[in-house]
Amino acid sequence: MPELPEVEVVRRGLERWVSGRTVEGVDVLHPRATRRHLAGAEDFARRLEGRRIGPARRRGKYLWLPLDGAAEAVLAHLGMSGQLLVQPVGAPDEKHLRIRLRFEDGEGTELRFVDQRTFGGLSLHGAAPGAADGLPDVIAHIAPDPLDPAFDAELFHAALRRRRTTVKRALLDQSLISGVGNIYADEALWRSRLHYDRPTATLTRPRTTELLGHIRDVMNDALAAGGTSFDSLYVNVNGESGYFSRSLDAYGREDEPCRRCGAPIRRRPWMNRSSYFCPRCQRPPVIRRAAGRSAPARPAPAASGPRRSG
DNA sequence: CGTGGCCCCTGATTGC
DNA sequence: TGCAATCAGGGGCCAC
């Protein structure tokens, strides 16, 4: 379950059902699922045996489980289709079961990493020096997420102004702000009435503040609904879907009326994915030519920016 | 260096 | 039916 609210739902499930338990053994059923553990699947499995799992942590879309304190942790990323499921021991293996963690206790459940597309995985890493909560060193470059008290809005705004990129690209750049993916980027931009191709350098401080507020709001709303699920690929540790998909305003709503103005929501190919937006509420940025000696032609009507009507 | 394009995978759906 | 093309919530890597 890819984006922050879905990953947070999983984190809470791990905290409830896995933290405090001791690993008895690990089965790696697909080597690609541990490819970020450079020492290999066997090393990953052996080093987990007998370790006690601490409180579940999260930054953006990354999860980690500290082991016997905070010096080392199991890092998890769900990619596009990863699931962490707490299943009864002996339940039939899922078709795309990649890794199984068995526990020493008699609770009768095990932790399973199931991942159809194998973009996700588990790995073992030391903590970054000086970082809080045993943050694994390999994700030290990931920015705090907007629900983290450590998130620095001033720093974020300064980075946006410095960048020569567009606002949606920036939202998906996990080194600037983490946890935002394609769904919540489109939702926050819709709420902010911002077009995805708006250059970040044009954002004023109030606009950045408003955008951040909408990101936090939509993520908290989604969290309260158990996350966004379009199908059974996106579930919590007990296999249950969230129901925020019914509350989406832009994502996946092509040709449906904008809930604000009634114009049909549009879908545009964008970075090998899609961007959903309201063509009336979210006007494309005006393309400005560099100042030259010849007067620039008037922009074509189709490419014109927002107009003030009065 | 920052930026943008390509690639990694499997499966569901759509169109010919 | 079969087959190809397209699309899907992720990020790493590598040219420019």
Side-chain angles (χ1 to χ4, degrees):
Chain A
M1 307 170 108
E3 304 184 45
L4 186 153
E6 294 76 35
V7 177
E8 174 61 16
V9 168
V10 171
R11 190 201 64 77
R12 292 176 184 182
L14 294 173
E15 185 85 10
R16 167 73 180 79
W17 299 104
V18 175
S19 292
R21 302 176 73 180
T22 298
V23 178
E24 178 189 76
V26 178
D27 309 319
V28 178
L29 291 92
H30 195 306
R32 197 173 139 80
T34 55
R35 70 190 180 287
R36 297 190 66 183
H37 187 84
L38 300 181
E42 283 187 25
D43 182 84
F44 175 80
R46 194 174 59 247
R47 284 170 61 187
L48 266 174
E49 285 174 20
R51 309 292 293 276
R52 185 175 184 276
I53 292 179
R57 306 296 190 194
R58 181 188 57 72
R59 171 175 281 200
K61 303 169 194 173
Y62 287 88
L63 287 165
W64 68 95
L65 299 167
L67 300 171
D68 306 318
E72 214 176 14
V74 180
L75 179 66
H77 196 282
L78 302 177
M80 291 284 271
S81 56
Q83 305 173 336
L84 283 164
L85 303 174
V86 176
Q87 292 283 58
V89 172
D93 285 1
E94 291 77 8
K95 182 176 181 186
H96 302 295
L97 177 62
R98 309 304 189 191
I99 300 172
R100 184 200 326 273
L101 264 68
R102 293 174 274 104
F103 297 104
E104 289 180 355
D105 54 67
E107 285 190 32
T109 61
E110 59 190 29
L111 179 63
R112 298 180 177 184
F113 179 68
V114 176
D115 189 8
Q116 176 196 110
R117 295 175 68 184
T118 68
F119 289 166
L122 306 185
S123 49
L124 204 48
H125 304 278
D133 290 334
L135 178 79
D137 51 12
V138 294
I139 60 166
H141 66 289
I142 299 294
D145 61 64
L147 300 189
D148 184 339
F151 185 85
D152 188 333
E154 226 26 85
L155 205 64
F156 178 63
H157 178 65
L160 290 184
R161 297 290 305 207
R162 208 163 45 233
R163 287 275 174 132
R164 289 295 173 268
T165 189
T166 51
V167 63
K168 186 171 170 181
R169 294 188 104 98
L171 291 181
L172 298 188
D173 184 337
Q174 305 296 300
S175 67
L176 292 180
I177 181 172
S178 68
V180 183
N182 207 31
I183 294 178
Y184 297 106
D186 281 1
E187 292 301 302
L189 290 170
W190 181 87
R191 292 186 180 204
S192 304
R193 294 177 163 88
L194 282 172
H195 190 275
Y196 55 89
D197 266 344
R198 164 74 74 104
T200 56
T202 69
L203 291 174
T204 61
R205 181 60 225 243
R207 289 293 253 171
T208 302
T209 302
E210 185 191 352
L211 176 59
L212 277 173
H214 286 309
I215 292 169
R216 292 189 175 108
D217 286 350
V218 71
M219 285 182 165
N220 281 319
D221 291 350
L223 201 45
T228 300
S229 305
F230 296 127
D231 51 45
S232 58
L233 277 185
Y234 305 94
V235 294
N236 67 16
V237 298
N238 301 312
E240 299 154 345
S241 293
Y243 51 89
F244 191 68
S245 58
R246 70 185 67 168
S247 303
L248 295 174
D249 291 311
Y251 189 87
R253 296 194 66 242
E254 184 178 20
D255 294 335
E256 293 176 47
C258 172
R259 298 193 211 278
R260 208 163 32 209
C261 77
I265 296 290
R266 296 277 164 74
R267 178 172 74 95
R268 289 289 142 76
W270 184 87
M271 279 181 72
N272 289 324
R273 296 186 189 158
S274 296
S275 273
Y276 296 87
F277 69 106
C278 171
R280 190 179 295 168
C281 300
Q282 299 166 263
R283 293 302 180 95
V286 178
I287 309 300
R288 295 191 177 284
R289 309 179 62 182
R293 67 181 66 229
S294 62
R298 274 200 294 159
S304 66
R307 293 196 188 90
R308 305 263 177 250
S309 59

